[in-house]
Amino acid sequence: FAIPFLFAFNPEMLIVSEGGAEFGLGAFCYLILRMALLIYVLASAAARFDRSRMPVWEPFARVVAGLALIHPEPLVSASAVAVCAGLLVLHRVPNGRGRTAV
């Protein structure tokens, strides 16, 4: 459900000048990265499972950070990429409660 919003808010994803934005390879690759991260983060939040079961707060944090990836403002989307990356790393780091990365 989130991919159409990514297209709507980021017209450079359409790869045509009639879409309302100039095409740039760097911006397009950044959008593809954001889209892949968006799909992964929202899917894992919906399942409440990444490499192991998530704590109660983590799916909510992933949904908020994932939806912020849609925002066209570079500062917001870059912050969302950093938060998503941080959540993924945090989930994979063993924390002494017996949860280990596979």
Side-chain angles (χ1 to χ4, degrees), residues 3-74:
I3 294 172
F5 289 102
L6 194 67
F7 276 95
F9 290 116
N10 300 284
E12 60 268 9
M13 190 85 169
L14 298 173
I15 313 177
V16 293
S17 59
E18 291 83 12
E22 285 296 317
F23 176 76
L25 186 60
F28 183 73
C29 290
Y30 179 59
L31 273 169
I32 295 297
L33 168 79
R34 286 173 34 207
M35 186 172 59
L37 192 57
L38 171 70
I39 292 168
Y40 184 80
V41 167
L42 289 182
S44 63
R48 290 197 60 210
F49 191 87
D50 193 344
R51 290 190 161 218
S52 62
R53 188 162 172 81
M54 291 182 198
V56 174
W57 62 269
E58 194 170 353
F60 296 110
R62 286 184 181 215
V63 167
V64 170
L67 292 178
L69 289 169
I70 297 172
H71 201 282
E73 181 67 34

